[in-house]
Amino acid sequence: MKMFRLTGKYLWLFLGPTLTIITIFFIIPVFLTLLISFTDMDYAFEWNWIGLENYIRMLEDQWLPKILNNTFFYVFVTLTCFNVGMALVISILTTHINEYVGSAFRAIWLLPRITPSTVYALLWLWASREDAMSLFNWILGFFGMPPINWRLHQPWLLVILVNGFVGVSFGMIIFTAALKSIPNDFLWAAQVDGASTFQVIRHVELPLIKWPILFVLAYQTLSLLTSYEYILLVTDGGPGFFTTEVWALRSYHLAFAQYGGRVYFGYGAALSTILVVIGLIMSILYLKLFRFRELIIEPKIEVQ
Amino acid sequence: MSTKSPTVTLIAVALIALIVGVVIGYMIPKAPTGEVVPKSEYDKVLAENEQLRSKVEELQKKLEAMGAKEITIVIWTIGPDPPSEYRYKNFEIAAEMLNKWLTLMGSNVKVKVEGEFFVRPVEWKEYRNKFYMAAKAGKAPDIYLTGHEDIGFLADNNYIIPLDDYIQEYWDVVYYDVIPTLWKAVEYKGHKWAIPQDTEVRPLYFRKDILRQLGWSEEEIEALPKKIQNGEFTLEDLLELAKQAKDAGLVERGLVHRVKEGYDYFQFYLGFGGRLWDPAQGKMVFTKSAWKKTLEWFHRAVYEYEVISPTQFSGDWDKDFHGPFTQGKTLFLSGGSWHKGEWISKGLLTEESFKENVGFALHPAGEAGLKPVTLSHPLIYTITKQAADRGVADVAFMLITLVTDPHLNANHAIASSHLAILYSEILDSRYTQDWFLKDVAYMLDYTTFIPNHPNWGDYSRVVYESIKAVEGGESPEDAYNYMLSEIQKLGDVFIIED
């Protein structure tokens, strides 16, 4: 049986609604951002075209290399330690134990995601306060260590933990679903052949959930690249000069967060444009790396 | 078209006479002679009221001509401290008054006020953003309260209208009474763009009880503000004293300052002899030596003396600012006069405990031979371009004139610990009875305003980033170089002096 393909007017009829939404909410904003990045727009909202001046200014900005490094460091560490790494570990562990206990664990890991971000950030700030009675320092004190000011001495640790705990749940849910949909025959067959649990995971389960891993990796990379709200709430890019400032936060700071009411929509938009480009490059890279084409090719055999 | 019956005129006169009577009544206990109000005073009030009455009549004719039954004026105001609610409430009172008069004059037009008083968690930043967005969408308020330093930007970009003609026209009604320095704060490019709403000073608060525990006598404690005023107690002494209190285990921190971007810390720069504004050239000023000293001072305060928390700037208003000071866990607080109102209304301190345990002074001079300072940041009412386009600028101005009233403004000043904007308000009996406002009034002689320059926000941001970085462990040299390079990028709007 050949796969049924939509053509002509039906194709557009079915794609229409989604295409409209994507155009209005995704494609047009990208072009608007691009246009604004060629102006020196501020709160007067004037379209003064200044060509590539914002981009030239970007090249002259002595702090941008540092901010770019911060961004890659933050995305890479958070992805590997939490959003993909920890998510995988939790999904595999919780699917290899009693069903109910596993579900309970996963439910607990969902908590940070469903807590409003300001409340969640405040909890972290409270737990990491510099006085000896805060949660972290109390734990340190338990081991006989002096209290430290976490936001000052360990800003990156804090930023990555705060973001990481929120980011785990997405991957966890997808991986768990993927693992549960692996037919038991494969696992039994592997075990009959004498594979240890570790070998089953390594040679059977992981290859079979390669596509979900790609999806989560790509999706979380993009979302971390543009995420800044927890960093804003916890360290606001400090301490010191741009220690934990990431690209998206810099853009936000320049475009909206000026006490004195002076803003740089143009420059902020130019920064965002670069972020879009980085995101595109990363996505293409992932698709190539994981041989995305092979993944979505039509099956060569009929599965009944 | 309005034909006034004699009865109405009679009632109007009676009402005015009543107002006059009330005003006089309030003045009697505090009248300079202590006995009776001189006739000249009485005549003055009468003349003002007569003027106001004729203005209301003119306005009424305009309103009739517009043919509307109800005219809505939209007003946006912000605290963000809750006790400043009279910034909006006074308009409701004024509108009620105006409507009564209009009814008495036989008019059937009503003036309605709508709008909002924003309080925390809405901060200035969001409030301003909201205004600009609304203005571009054609949904701006008619009256917009903001800080005077926004005038440059608002005027340059046609958000607000100049008010010179109006002020001229109503000069004898009330505006002659405005304390003259305040007009400086609303001037830009030779025009007056706004009406002052309030002003304040920013004291350095200190805990008397901690000083007592350090062995200071009452006389010494009472003399501290005077010593600061005479320049005998400098920022260096402040560090020493704060450290002393901390080392003695009396406090957890020596000094707390604001936890978000703002203007308070410019006072340390001014204390080191820096300048902000050059009126002759109309440019902002960057004094190199003063900024160097300021950044070094902050660095030493955090890392050498350990009297300021290194994460003060990413702290929380309650936990790191109000809390420590009102609970006596810090010796000094660099704040504003409105904080007194805030502490009392929040129940953090009572009037008695404030009087007993809290002292206040100017911000000290940086070193011997320099002057102590404070900073004032008058808030202002502007009338938006949109109000003018809708043809309601007259009504809006009338409302502003009515709230610029010694009695109404004193409501605000007393509730929120802000200072008077009118001479006659200083004489208002309730105001004179407020010992705190009376005691901080001398600080106005040492005050500086922020420049009304469109690029002021850039200056503020660079300074905030630099001081925050120094407190977070960057070296003062790096911070200074960053500051200077950012300021140089802004080009010709600055005078960079040694």
Side-chain angles (χ1 to χ4, degrees), chain A residues 42-45 62-63 129-130 149 151-152 235-236 239-242 250 256-262 264, chain B residues 125 128-129 132 136 153 157 159 261-263 309-311 314 319-320 454-455 458 461 468-469 474 479 482:
Chain A
D42 57 13
Y43 268 134
F45 297 98
Q62 53 172 337
W63 296 101
R129 283 184 72 79
E130 62 268 39
N149 189 336
R151 261 180 304 161
L152 182 72
T235 63
D236 197 16
F241 278 123
F242 310 110
R250 184 71 183 147
F256 294 108
Q258 308 258 344
Y259 182 85
R262 185 87 180 82
Y264 294 99
Chain B
K125 204 167 67 187
R128 285 180 167 125
N129 290 359
Y132 296 121
K136 276 296 155 186
F153 180 81
N157 293 299
Y159 280 112
E261 188 179 344
Y263 307 142
S309 157
T311 41
S314 49
K319 283 200 178 73
D320 298 291
N455 284 96
D458 290 323
R461 173 184 56 90
K468 186 179 163 187
E474 300 283 346
Y482 169 76

Side-chain angles (χ1 to χ4, degrees), chain B residues 296-352:
Chain B
E296 275 160 16
W297 186 88
F298 272 101
H299 189 264
R300 282 186 302 136
V302 177
Y303 292 98
E304 191 181 322
Y305 288 85
E306 297 181 338
V307 294
I308 297 179
S309 157
T311 41
Q312 180 73 25
F313 266 132
S314 49
D316 171 86
W317 279 112
D318 291 320
K319 283 200 178 73
D320 298 291
F321 184 77
H322 300 302
F325 188 74
T326 52
Q327 294 157 18
K329 289 179 184 164
T330 171
L331 176 56
F332 290 107
L333 175 139
S334 165
S337 59
W338 68 93
H339 285 132
K340 184 245 180 184
E342 205 169 338
W343 293 329
I344 285 169
S345 76
K346 276 185 177 170
L348 295 169
L349 290 170
T350 60
E351 191 76 47
E352 292 72 39

Side-chain angles (χ1 to χ4, degrees), chain A:
Chain A
M1 180 190 138
K2 191 87 185 82
M3 230 181 163
F4 174 65
R5 282 194 176 280
L6 277 172
T7 49
K9 61 181 181 197
Y10 287 109
L11 177 75
W12 294 113
L13 188 74
F14 276 78
L15 284 179
T18 318
L19 272 182
T20 316
I21 287 175
I22 287 178
T23 310
I24 292 173
F25 290 105
F26 293 89
I27 297 172
I28 292 176
V30 167
F31 276 103
L32 273 178
T33 306
L34 192 65
L35 285 179
I36 293 172
S37 75
F38 296 119
T39 67
D40 63 353
M41 194 184 285
D42 57 13
Y43 268 134
F45 297 98
E46 299 291 334
W47 293 85
N48 291 329
W49 300 99
I50 54 167
L52 289 170
E53 218 165 288
N54 284 325
Y55 293 91
I56 293 162
R57 183 179 152 186
M58 218 183 284
L59 292 173
E60 290 167 352
D61 191 331
Q62 53 172 337
W63 296 101
L64 276 186
K66 183 176 181 176
I67 291 168
L68 192 63
N69 276 340
N70 285 349
T71 311
F72 284 133
F73 172 79
Y74 159 75
V75 171
F76 179 77
V77 176
T78 316
L79 267 182
T80 46
C81 294
F82 284 97
N83 293 21
V84 177
M86 182 74 94
L88 259 179
V89 171
I90 291 174
S91 327
I92 290 168
L93 285 179
T94 55
T95 47
H96 281 256
I97 55 173
N98 176 305
E99 179 98 14
Y100 293 106
V101 180
S103 301
F105 263 99
R106 287 197 299 271
I108 292 169
W109 274 91
L110 267 173
L111 281 176
R113 183 81 270 176
I114 55 175
T115 316
S117 49
T118 24
V119 175
Y120 174 74
L122 278 174
L123 284 173
W124 275 93
L125 287 177
W126 167 80
S128 65
R129 283 184 72 79
E130 62 268 39
D131 42 81
M133 286 319 293
S134 71
L135 183 63
F136 291 4
N137 286 336
W138 183 81
I139 294 168
L140 284 186
F142 193 78
F143 294 107
M145 284 184 266
I148 63 168
N149 189 336
W150 292 83
R151 261 180 304 161
L152 182 72
H153 299 297
Q154 295 292 345
W156 272 119
L157 181 71
L158 206 58
V159 162
I160 284 163
L161 285 177
V162 172
N163 278 287
F165 275 86
V166 170
V168 167
S169 50
F170 181 84
M172 179 183 80
I173 290 170
I174 294 197
F175 296 152
T176 308
L179 286 169
K180 282 188 171 170
S181 66
I182 294 174
N184 275 332
D185 319 16
F186 292 157
L187 309 180
W188 290 332
Q191 278 163 346
V192 167
D193 288 344
S196 65
T197 307
F198 180 75
Q199 285 170 319
V200 170
I201 293 169
R202 168 75 188 77
H203 296 287
V204 181
E205 290 189 336
L206 285 182
L208 281 170
I209 61 166
K210 192 170 142 181
W211 164 232
I213 292 177
L214 160 70
F215 168 69
V216 170
L217 191 65
Y219 186 92
Q220 292 289 326
T221 304
L222 296 182
S223 97
L224 282 173
L225 267 180
T226 57
S227 83
Y228 62 86
E229 71 267 35
Y230 293 108
I231 305 179
L232 173 78
L233 292 163
V234 174
T235 63
D236 197 16
F241 278 123
F242 310 110
T243 309
T244 54
E245 184 118 348
V246 293
W247 200 278
L249 182 60
R250 184 71 183 147
S251 173
Y252 167 81
H253 273 153
L254 286 165
F256 294 108
Q258 308 258 344
Y259 182 85
R262 185 87 180 82
V263 295
Y264 294 99
F265 290 152
Y267 191 46
L271 286 170
S272 306
T273 307
I274 298 293
L275 210 54
V276 171
V277 172
I278 294 174
L280 277 175
I281 293 170
M282 299 286 269
S283 313
I284 292 164
L285 214 67
Y286 283 136
L287 296 182
K288 284 264 176 280
L289 208 69
F290 281 79
R291 304 206 195 96
F292 178 68
R293 285 200 161 285
E294 290 174 31
L295 283 169
I296 56 161
I297 212 155
E298 280 184 35
K300 293 186 175 63
I301 49 162
E302 202 74 27
V303 184
Q304 291 295 347

Side-chain angles (χ1 to χ4, degrees), chain B residues 26 42 112 117 125 236 324 454:
Chain B
Y26 264 106
Y42 172 83
K112 195 167 142 225
F117 170 68
K125 204 167 67 187
E236 290 307 306

